[in-house]
Amino acid sequence: MAIEDKNKVPFFYFPVNMSGEAEMSVAGTPVAPPSLAPLSLLPPGVVGLSSPLVARALQGAGARRPRGAKRAIPDALKDQKYFERRRRNNLAAKRSRDSRKAREDQINLRACWLDGENAVLRARVARLREEAFCLRRLLAARQAERLRLLSEAERPVPPGATPSTSE
C-alpha cells in the first residue's frame, strides 16, 4: 500500500505490534481496530460527537438538497405495482439508514482510537523530551568536569609541591 500524503492516514491503516496484530486501546481498555470492534466493546461514554475528529468527519457530509412536496396518491392508483414499489423503497431506505449509522459508528470508533493513540504519542514525546533534557544536563556536567580537569592540569605547580597524577 502506498501512502500518497504522509499526513493523511488511510482509513484501513492501524499500527501493528510485534506479533503482527493491530493494537488499539481507548482509555486504557484494549479494543480491536474500528473495522472489527462493535461499539459494545467500548467503555460507556467514549463514543460521542464531542471529538473534534468526529465533528470534522461529519462536517464533510454536505448539505442535502431540498425534498419535493409530498403528494397524496389516490386509492384508485394504489395497485399491486405501487405497493411493491413502496415495499422496495422502504427496504432501500432502511438499508441506507443502517449503512449511514454503521459509517457514523465506525467514524466515532476511529476517532476514539485516534484520540487514544494521540494520547499515547504525546506521553511518549513528553518522556523523550524529559530524557533529552536529562542527557543534555549530564553532558553539560561532564563537559564542565572536563574543563575543570583541563584547567587544573594547566595550572603551574608551586615550588616544592609534587604534581599529582589523578588518572
Side-chain angles (χ1 to χ4, degrees), residues 34 40-41 57 61 77 84 106 114 125 131 134 140-141 143:
S40 60
L41 292 179
L77 296 178
E84 178 61 23
Q106 198 159 18
L114 288 172
V125 166
E131 182 181 352
C134 290
Q143 286 175 340

Side-chain angles (χ1 to χ4, degrees), residues 42-150:
L42 288 176
V46 170
V47 176
L49 296 178
S50 60
S51 170
L53 289 172
V54 174
R56 196 174 340 139
L58 293 177
Q59 221 173 20
R64 296 179 183 248
R65 63 183 172 91
R67 293 173 50 157
K70 287 190 177 186
R71 293 174 284 158
I73 305 291
D75 287 339
L77 296 178
K78 293 183 181 178
D79 57 356
Q80 189 63 28
K81 185 178 171 184
Y82 167 82
F83 286 113
E84 178 61 23
R85 214 171 45 237
R86 293 298 319 137
R87 187 185 68 76
R88 283 196 325 251
N89 182 265
N90 290 343
L91 289 174
K94 183 180 181 346
R95 276 193 311 270
S96 175
R97 286 189 303 270
D98 291 346
S99 68
R100 185 178 65 238
K101 179 160 177 32
R103 268 194 318 271
E104 288 173 1
D105 288 347
Q106 198 159 18
I107 288 170
N108 279 335
L109 187 57
R110 176 122 174 101
C112 290
W113 180 75
L114 288 172
D115 286 342
E117 184 181 28
N118 194 15
V120 168
L121 291 173
R122 286 182 189 276
R124 184 175 177 197
V125 166
R127 212 173 36 249
L128 290 172
R129 282 189 177 147
E130 184 178 332
E131 182 181 352
F133 176 75
C134 290
L135 290 173
R136 276 192 213 104
R137 200 172 55 204
L138 181 63
L139 180 62
R142 286 196 179 179
Q143 286 175 340
E145 179 67 18
R146 177 179 277 164
L147 287 174
R148 187 186 61 78
L149 290 174
L150 284 175

